[in-house]
Amino acid sequence: MARINGLDLLRATAMLMGVLLHALVLYLEPEDGSEPVLWIGMLFLWIHNWRMPLFFMLAGFFAALSLDRKSPMAFSWDRLYRIGFPIVLWWLIVAPIPLWSALRDGADLPTLDHLWFLYYLVLMYAVAVVIRPLIPTPIISLIDLSLRSRWMLLLWAIPITAFSIVGRDNGLFNIQPEYIGEIELGFFFFSLTFFCLGWRLFHHQNLFSTLASLWWSITALILALVALVSALSIWLAFDEELTSLASLLWVNGLSSCATLLSILGLTGLCLRLVTAPSKRLSFWVELSYPIYFFHGLVVFSLGDFFLETYWPAFGAIAVNTVASTVISILLYFVFIRYTPLGWMFMGYKKAWFRWSKLRWFYRGQKA
């Protein structure tokens, strides 16, 4: 269980980093035309480089865990209402009129905004349920050769680099979908590679003990930072336009290595930090998904206010991140925690609101 708890910490970190990332994005291209602050650009790029790939890897791991315990039908229903329904809920909150127009007139559905990854997750879960049983055992065995040791995991950088070339803008920025039905194939397969890595890691959890080595984690993170800075330097040296095959291979290769090494290093640190179940950790894991869901309502509004009032960048980003997190938590407790909507974010068995409680309350009233 300690291993699962360590990955839970990693999952909550990936979610909560999204709030900071979106607080930073407002300062990447200042409205006054000035150059962006170096530390903001570097912090944004570092988080952006590993956060969503890490999340897709964890999604693959926990999907394999869930399918190991549930039937494909039960798994599909669970993922539909926990991953698919929140997209509809978001539309009902921020875009009810466009949603109604889409349903009535056949127009485009509202944009996915920051929940685009849920759309891709639904597709990946469908791939897992439908295609997984059809994959020949020899192919799985061949893939699993890369999971014999922590260093052999670096072989995953080869397919990651290949899909990065067609799936990431200049090897550094995601090309993500804006609408349901839109699939950026390069980035989808780039993300699916991490999903598959997480899936196979579930079947090779013996690697976790070696990944949890402190020297390994620190070494991986240092190498990741060096690779990312090198990729950025080459990109800037080409004036942000990679026109030759060599420049594409160098930037995408270094960036992909940075992504993979960051993920493995952070995984090792979290596995080392969490050695036993914790109520505090469980609480933050519970909050992380709703915080990410709601923060989009807050972070950009506050960001515009700070920009208009000329707040210093550091103070604005810090206050925006904390305030957006706190307000999102309050929204969660008011609208989600004690209502049936909690089933989407925690699952029925872990939700506070359950029919059994209502029956108990009704019987108590009659007595």
Side-chain angles (χ1 to χ4, degrees):
M1 284 301 294
R3 290 173 176 175
I4 303 300
N5 291 132
L7 296 184
D8 277 335
L9 172 61
L10 204 59
R11 182 167 53 174
T13 300
M15 281 287 188
L16 295 173
M17 277 290 180
V19 185
L20 173 59
L21 196 75
H22 291 139
L24 289 168
V25 75
L26 296 165
Y27 292 87
L28 292 181
E29 296 183 2
E31 294 181 351
D32 59 7
S34 61
E35 289 294 321
V37 180
L38 179 61
W39 71 266
I40 293 177
M42 285 301 301
L43 181 58
F44 173 88
L45 189 60
W46 178 68
I47 297 172
H48 179 78
N49 183 256
W50 57 260
R51 191 179 71 88
M52 288 314 304
L54 170 62
F55 183 81
F56 284 119
M57 187 196 79
L58 293 173
F61 179 92
F62 285 104
L65 172 65
S66 183
L67 260 177
D68 192 55
R69 300 174 178 177
K70 299 177 181 179
S71 68
M73 184 61 71
F75 170 83
S76 299
W77 170 243
D78 176 77
R79 294 311 177 193
L80 179 62
Y81 78 75
R82 295 191 65 186
I83 303 299
F85 286 3
I87 297 176
V88 179
L89 177 62
W90 177 256
W91 287 336
L92 291 172
I93 294 173
V94 303
I97 295 176
L99 177 60
W100 171 247
S101 298
L103 297 175
R104 183 189 58 191
D105 305 325
D108 289 336
L109 289 166
T111 60
L112 291 162
D113 294 320
H114 65 300
L115 300 182
W116 63 268
F117 72 98
L118 297 182
Y119 164 52
Y120 269 13
L121 275 184
V122 171
L123 297 179
M124 291 179 190
Y125 292 141
V127 169
V129 171
V130 175
I131 297 179
R132 178 183 62 95
L134 305 178
I135 301 176
T137 302
I139 292 181
I140 295 178
S141 299
L142 182 63
I143 293 172
D144 286 352
L145 291 176
S146 64
L147 288 97
R148 289 187 171 182
S149 73
R150 60 192 176 191
W151 289 109
M152 290 189 70
L153 283 171
L154 298 181
L155 289 172
W156 285 78
I158 298 172
I160 291 169
T161 299
F163 290 124
S164 174
I165 292 174
V166 293
R168 292 201 289 186
D169 185 12
N170 289 319
L172 296 168
F173 306 102
N174 302 337
I175 305 175
Q176 57 203 46
E178 190 174 358
Y179 296 95
I180 291 286
E182 177 184 332
I183 301 177
E184 300 290 347
L185 282 176
F187 183 65
F188 177 78
F189 282 106
F190 174 83
S191 304
L192 184 62
T193 303
F194 288 97
F195 184 89
C196 293
L197 172 59
W199 190 289
R200 296 316 302 163
L201 277 173
F202 171 75
H203 298 282
H204 295 270
Q205 295 184 40
N206 57 299
L207 278 174
F208 288 159
S209 58
T210 60
L211 288 176
S213 165
L214 183 60
W215 78 264
W216 154 263
S217 300
I218 293 176
T219 300
L221 290 172
I222 291 174
L223 290 174
L225 187 59
V226 171
L228 182 60
V229 171
S230 299
L232 180 61
S233 300
I234 295 172
W235 178 59
L236 293 174
F238 281 88
D239 294 325
E240 303 179 10
E241 290 293 336
L242 304 179
T243 55
S244 67
L245 178 60
S247 62
L248 277 171
L249 288 174
W250 272 108
V251 173
N252 281 276
L254 288 167
S255 178
S256 297
C257 287
T259 301
L260 183 59
L261 285 166
S262 294
I263 288 173
L264 296 177
L266 290 169
T267 299
L269 281 181
C270 288
L271 291 172
R272 185 177 180 85
L273 284 172
V274 181
T275 57
S278 164
K279 290 184 178 179
R280 185 177 299 175
L281 173 60
S282 298
F283 176 70
W284 275 108
V285 171
E286 174 189 331
L287 287 177
S288 60
Y289 186 11
I291 287 174
Y292 188 79
F293 178 86
F294 282 117
H295 87 277
L297 295 170
V298 185
V299 69
F300 294 113
S301 298
L302 287 179
D304 289 339
F305 167 77
F306 292 134
L307 287 172
E308 291 172 0
T309 53
Y310 301 102
W311 272 54
F314 180 82
I317 291 168
V319 173
N320 194 354
T321 301
V322 173
S324 297
T325 300
V326 171
I327 293 172
S328 297
I329 292 173
L330 293 175
L331 291 172
Y332 165 65
F333 275 98
V334 172
F335 296 105
I336 303 294
R337 182 69 170 82
Y338 303 105
T339 74
L341 292 177
W343 304 345
M344 291 187 193
F345 295 91
M346 292 173 288
Y348 180 78
K349 291 183 179 179
K350 294 182 179 180
W352 181 92
F353 186 96
R354 296 193 296 273
W355 297 121
S356 57
K357 287 192 174 185
L358 289 184
R359 288 196 293 270
W360 175 84
F361 178 78
Y362 178 70
R363 289 170 186 167
Q365 291 293 100
K366 287 183 68 176

